[in-house]
Amino acid sequence: MRRGTNLPAVGGFNQTVILDVIRRSPEALSRVELAEKTGLAPQTISNVTRRLLDDGLITEAGKHIQGRGKPRVMLELAPQSRYALGVHLDPAVITYAVLDLRGQVVHDASMRTPRAGRPDEIIASMAAALDELIEASGVDREKILGIGIAAPGPVDVARGIVLDPPHLEGWRDVPLRDALFEATGLPVLLEKDVTAAAIAELWLSGEAQHSDFAFFYLGTGIGIGLALDGEVLRGSTGNAGEGGTLVVPVDGLVDGRRSDLLGHLATPRYMLEQAADEGVLVPAPPANDMVAIDEGFDELVRLAEAGDAGALRILDRAASLIASALVSVVNLLDIDEVIFGGPFWERVSARFIFQISRIIDHSPDRVTRHPVALSGSSIGDDVAAVGAACLVLDHALSPRPSGLLITG
Amino acid sequence: MRRGTNLPAVGGFNQTVILDVIRRSPEALSRVELAEKTGLAPQTISNVTRRLLDDGLITEAGKHIQGRGKPRVMLELAPQSRYALGVHLDPAVITYAVLDLRGQVVHDASMRTPRAGRPDEIIASMAAALDELIEASGVDREKILGIGIAAPGPVDVARGIVLDPPHLEGWRDVPLRDALFEATGLPVLLEKDVTAAAIAELWLSGEAQHSDFAFFYLGTGIGIGLALDGEVLRGSTGNAGEGGTLVVPVDGLVDGRRSDLLGHLATPRYMLEQAADEGVLVPAPPANDMVAIDEGFDELVRLAEAGDAGALRILDRAASLIASALVSVVNLLDIDEVIFGGPFWERVSARFIFQISRIIDHSPDRVTRHPVALSGSSIGDDVAAVGAACLVLDHALSPRPSGLLITG
């Protein structure tokens, strides 16, 4: 049932709107400016800013005198009043970030994901790394709102469980959210990795904010997160964003098959298998050795940058498969922006964007002819960890009841 | 910039919410019940229902006496107070519908789309057919809010132009909206066909309302409209829903190609080409003869129903390609419901749903394991015309300023 607007939650909704405007503004704002920017009534502005000041989320930043009028008190975010932690569990690397209330990364760290580590061991090492992170960042633990985890899908978002991600060996029905809550005592929520990445782009893209885009994630696997009209698409069970099962045409590559899945053919692991088959790199690392894949991919990119024709051919082939899949997605969703990121993206960003852009622009299968803007994430390799932390800020600052954030 | 909730539009938004609740309720409701169902304040309910009564959109339906309390005045929709017309321009058939304010079809009609007709001739015949429709329905012209047109994409929704749909010969940059406005004097809006179909499902699915689904449209071409969280997805230029460029694997069917597009291999036209190639039906109708394709498809389905192995093979092959594409879409968007419709659907509905359901349930490429509910549209062949008319009701009853509805 769609409901009207004067629900109890509206006060909180307005608070979120006002805090959002203050958070995004590069300069302090007066209450009059807030009323103009939000469309909210002066009385509402007055009540809400009083509450925000009492909670320490905003501070007064001097007075602004204009002509003969009453001086206006300027308000700005108190970024050091609250913090959130983000963890991104990728099969190759675990990334950590500490964000202040403005969403700025104040500290980050990363470590290789232990090869074939048992989930409970990995969770224990995550908890230890989070303790170290808090210590190293110098942030008061009392000010930490919680921990967001970005994990590979499929996940059970409501119950905080990692189900059976194809690239995380030995992980099956792992209650990661509750385990990390028990290990740290901090509120924890779990989100799918590509969804977290899309959230980071929504939160942190600044004044020229993106609100409708696909986030193409090149990790150990491939994902396509979606933001539509300023909201991430989670889907019916929080598992939207699975881009790896899009079918792409192949050109004599795969024995006996005439097409295959993007999530097979465009992964770093498969690129390295091709590099071995075609004599560009020998040998291909074992399929489950994420560290070797990471290092092998470094080597493949280095060769391509040095002009090696074989390495360039393999990268360009992957780019063209990604472009083919994106043409389908652009047509299906009428999207005009794609942001790229993920742990393997940065290394190939310039070349891939050039190639993918060329193919999308000239594809005979495009239905609309409007330009599609392609860009690498400005947040970089931390993007999913940052997004998971943003989600904690969202949940903690928004009045919506959330079953996702476990708080004991 | 996201804005707060006490904008001038909110009164109108609340009006829409209240009218929506009254419209969907099978029984008359008191103001107290409206307050409970919407969460709106009694004073808001009182003001808005007064305005709705003044406008004739709702009526008083007696009083309800409960215990010793003051009798409650019951309110219900006045379905005959307003009407909307819907037109669906498909390359094979043009469908017309008259809807009352509740969204019930009070009259409908259809005619074959003239083969190779010039756009201006077709528009003139649409205007004449609409006049006849109004006359035949007995509806007072003064009560008609406007005309919604559902057209094949790509379209320019903002300017009401049909751009260059692949199956509508001779249509290129046709200002259909403005032309039909000039011909009829009624407000007109234009929407892409699959989007209109999804709108019909959102509007008319009753108490057990669908809010997240893909609408698979089997017409002369193939579309996949999307409703997410109760809203249709239009995309950046109103052209979302292009499902025909999803890549599907082929099995030795197409010369020299290892994969092809769903919008080629699963169309009725291509099924008839296969039927000719495989000696099931001879000859295949010319590619641009929509009437012959319609009749040929009837014959193919008749043969399949009579147990012809060749006809069954061709239909099942198309169903399996549709299923393959839907697995990708279900994974990408984490959708748990697919509704099927369009002018060619009804004839194959039972068999296709059986086959597609079987394949989706057992696909090794499914990421999540939750069931995907498949159903044929309960609205039937009129679905896009009905959706276009629903859109007129939406626009006329909602206070949102709309550049889409041309009103002179």
Side-chain angles (χ1 to χ4, degrees):
Chain A
M1 175 64 62
R2 192 161 58 157
R3 297 174 72 89
T5 57
N6 60 359
L7 299 170
V10 167
F13 176 69
N14 288 339
Q15 173 166 328
T16 308
V17 170
I18 291 171
L19 193 59
D20 201 51
V21 169
I22 296 174
R23 184 178 70 76
R24 289 180 181 277
S25 171
E27 288 157 18
L29 296 168
S30 69
R31 288 179 176 80
V32 173
E33 287 167 314
L34 279 173
E36 283 165 5
K37 281 177 183 277
T38 59
L40 291 166
Q43 187 58 43
T44 307
I45 298 287
S46 176
N47 294 341
V48 171
T49 54
R50 167 59 40 216
R51 207 155 51 224
L52 292 171
L53 284 164
D54 288 348
D55 291 346
L57 296 169
I58 63 174
T59 53
E60 296 186 345
K63 292 182 181 182
H64 181 71
I65 300 166
Q66 194 172 31
R68 294 184 164 195
K70 194 175 152 194
R72 294 174 177 179
V73 177
M74 305 305 286
L75 301 168
E76 64 181 14
L77 197 73
Q80 277 88 50
S81 62
R82 301 287 192 285
Y83 295 88
L85 307 182
V87 185
H88 175 202
L89 171 64
D90 178 85
V93 62
I94 304 179
T95 311
Y96 302 88
V98 183
L99 269 63
D100 67 19
L101 191 58
R102 196 183 289 284
Q104 292 299 304
V105 177
V106 297
H107 201 78
D108 64 357
S110 68
M111 63 182 209
R112 301 264 190 201
T113 307
R115 183 176 167 192
R118 276 171 35 202
D120 57 350
E121 291 167 356
I122 292 180
I123 291 167
S125 74
M126 285 166 81
L130 283 164
D131 275 340
E132 281 171 36
L133 189 78
I134 296 168
E135 181 123 4
S137 71
V139 165
D140 180 357
R141 204 177 176 98
E142 295 299 306
K143 290 183 172 178
I144 296 174
L145 293 165
I147 303 168
I149 314 170
V155 292
D156 181 330
V157 168
R159 297 192 299 146
I161 292 173
V162 176
L163 295 172
D164 51 350
H167 302 291
L168 265 182
E169 218 180 329
W171 286 64
R172 192 178 172 84
D173 298 338
V174 177
L176 178 56
R177 182 191 63 184
D178 292 7
L180 208 57
F181 166 66
E182 277 173 35
T184 64
L186 288 164
V188 185
L189 58 75
L190 178 77
E191 186 73 75
K192 184 168 162 161
D193 46 15
V194 285
T195 307
I199 287 165
E201 295 294 335
L202 280 175
W203 253 74
L204 300 175
S205 52
E207 286 289 302
Q209 65 181 286
H210 310 293
S211 67
D212 288 83
F213 57 85
F215 187 96
F216 188 95
Y217 179 90
L218 184 64
T220 306
I222 284 181
I224 301 181
L226 295 162
L228 303 168
D229 202 19
E231 301 276 346
V232 290
L233 177 74
R234 288 195 170 80
S236 63
T237 65
N239 283 292
E242 182 57 48
T245 59
L246 286 162
V247 177
V248 287
V250 296
D251 192 21
L253 269 185
V254 183
D255 293 331
R257 271 185 287 187
R258 290 160 173 266
S259 62
D260 203 340
L261 303 184
L262 182 69
H264 176 213
L265 298 182
T267 54
R269 178 199 291 188
Y270 188 73
M271 288 185 236
L272 295 180
E273 284 175 23
Q274 288 175 276
D277 289 351
E278 299 174 21
V280 174
L281 275 180
V282 279
N288 65 346
D289 187 341
M290 298 304 163
V291 174
I293 289 171
D294 198 41
E295 288 166 354
F297 196 64
D298 269 345
E299 178 65 11
L300 182 67
V301 171
R302 203 192 54 70
L303 280 174
E305 280 167 358
D308 181 278
L312 286 168
R313 187 176 62 240
I314 288 164
L315 292 183
D316 288 353
R317 204 184 277 148
S320 80
L321 295 172
I322 292 170
S324 161
L326 285 175
V327 166
S328 302
V329 173
V330 162
N331 283 342
L332 182 66
L333 305 176
D334 194 4
I335 274 177
D336 59 6
E337 179 166 21
V338 183
I339 303 172
F340 295 85
F344 290 92
W345 179 260
E346 202 73 26
R347 293 169 247 188
V348 293
S349 186
R351 186 163 186 96
F352 270 40
I353 284 182
F354 174 78
Q355 295 285 9
I356 292 169
S357 169
R358 199 176 49 79
I359 295 170
I360 290 180
D361 285 351
H362 297 96
S363 168
D365 297 329
R366 276 289 304 285
V367 174
T368 51
R369 291 288 147 196
H370 59 74
V372 178
L374 308 183
S375 59
S377 168
S378 57
I379 302 166
D381 281 356
D382 284 354
V383 61
V386 167
C390 288
L391 202 61
V392 171
L393 298 177
D394 247 358
H395 276 265
L397 301 179
S398 142
R400 284 167 291 187
S402 164
L404 303 183
L405 191 71
I406 183 166
T407 55
Chain B
M1 176 63 61
R2 192 163 58 158
R3 297 175 71 88
T5 57
N6 61 358
L7 299 170
V10 167
F13 176 69
N14 288 340
Q15 174 167 329
T16 308
V17 170
I18 291 170
L19 194 58
D20 202 52
V21 169
I22 296 174
R23 183 177 72 73
R24 288 180 182 276
S25 171
E27 288 157 20
L29 296 169
S30 68
R31 288 178 176 80
V32 172
E33 286 166 315
L34 280 173
E36 283 164 6
K37 282 176 183 277
T38 61
L40 290 166
Q43 186 58 43
T44 307
I45 298 287
S46 176
N47 293 342
V48 171
T49 53
R50 166 59 39 216
R51 206 154 52 225
L52 292 171
L53 284 163
D54 288 348
D55 291 346
L57 296 168
I58 63 174
T59 53
E60 297 186 347
K63 292 183 182 183
H64 181 72
I65 298 166
Q66 195 171 29
R68 292 182 167 201
K70 197 174 149 191
R72 293 174 177 179
V73 177
M74 304 305 286
L75 302 169
E76 64 181 13
L77 197 74
Q80 276 88 52
S81 61
R82 301 287 192 285
Y83 294 88
L85 308 182
V87 185
H88 175 203
L89 171 63
D90 178 85
V93 62
I94 305 179
T95 311
Y96 301 88
V98 184
L99 269 63
D100 68 19
L101 190 58
R102 196 182 289 285
Q104 292 300 305
V105 177
V106 297
H107 201 79
D108 65 356
S110 68
M111 62 182 210
R112 301 264 190 203
T113 308
R115 182 177 167 190
R118 278 171 33 202
D120 57 348
E121 292 167 355
I122 292 180
I123 291 166
S125 76
M126 284 166 82
L130 283 164
D131 276 341
E132 282 172 34
L133 189 77
I134 295 169
E135 180 123 4
S137 70
V139 165
D140 179 357
R141 203 175 177 101
E142 295 299 307
K143 290 183 172 177
I144 296 173
L145 293 164
I147 303 167
I149 314 171
V155 292
D156 182 330
V157 167
R159 297 193 300 146
I161 292 173
V162 176
L163 295 172
D164 51 350
H167 302 291
L168 265 182
E169 216 182 328
W171 285 64
R172 192 177 173 86
D173 298 338
V174 176
L176 178 56
R177 183 191 62 184
D178 292 8
L180 208 58
F181 166 65
E182 277 173 37
T184 63
L186 288 164
V188 184
L189 59 75
L190 178 77
E191 187 72 74
K192 184 168 160 159
D193 46 15
V194 284
T195 307
I199 288 166
E201 296 294 334
L202 280 176
W203 253 75
L204 300 176
S205 51
E207 286 290 303
Q209 63 180 287
H210 309 293
S211 67
D212 289 83
F213 57 84
F215 187 96
F216 188 95
Y217 179 90
L218 183 65
T220 306
I222 284 179
I224 302 180
L226 295 162
L228 304 168
D229 203 17
E231 301 275 345
V232 289
L233 177 75
R234 287 194 169 79
S236 63
T237 65
N239 283 291
E242 182 57 48
T245 60
L246 286 163
V247 176
V248 286
V250 296
D251 191 20
L253 270 183
V254 183
D255 293 332
R257 271 184 289 188
R258 288 161 175 267
S259 62
D260 202 341
L261 303 183
L262 182 69
H264 176 214
L265 298 182
T267 55
R269 179 198 288 186
Y270 188 74
M271 288 185 234
L272 295 180
E273 284 174 23
Q274 288 174 276
D277 288 351
E278 298 174 22
V280 174
L281 275 179
V282 279
N288 64 345
D289 187 341
M290 299 303 164
V291 174
I293 288 171
D294 198 41
E295 289 168 353
F297 196 65
D298 269 345
E299 179 64 11
L300 182 66
V301 171
R302 202 192 53 71
L303 280 174
E305 280 167 357
D308 182 279
L312 286 169
R313 187 176 62 239
I314 288 164
L315 293 184
D316 288 352
R317 204 184 276 147
S320 79
L321 295 171
I322 293 170
S324 160
L326 286 176
V327 166
S328 301
V329 173
V330 162
N331 283 342
L332 182 65
L333 305 175
D334 193 5
I335 275 176
D336 58 7
E337 179 166 20
V338 183
I339 302 172
F340 295 84
F344 289 93
W345 180 260
E346 202 73 27
R347 292 170 248 187
V348 293
S349 186
R351 186 164 187 96
F352 270 39
I353 284 183
F354 174 78
Q355 296 284 10
I356 293 169
S357 169
R358 199 175 49 79
I359 295 170
I360 290 180
D361 285 351
H362 296 96
S363 168
D365 297 330
R366 275 290 304 285
V367 174
T368 51
R369 292 287 148 196
H370 59 73
V372 178
L374 308 182
S375 60
S377 168
S378 57
I379 302 166
D381 281 356
D382 284 354
V383 63
V386 167
C390 289
L391 203 60
V392 171
L393 298 177
D394 247 357
H395 276 265
L397 302 179
S398 143
R400 285 167 291 187
S402 164
L404 302 183
L405 192 71
I406 183 167
T407 56

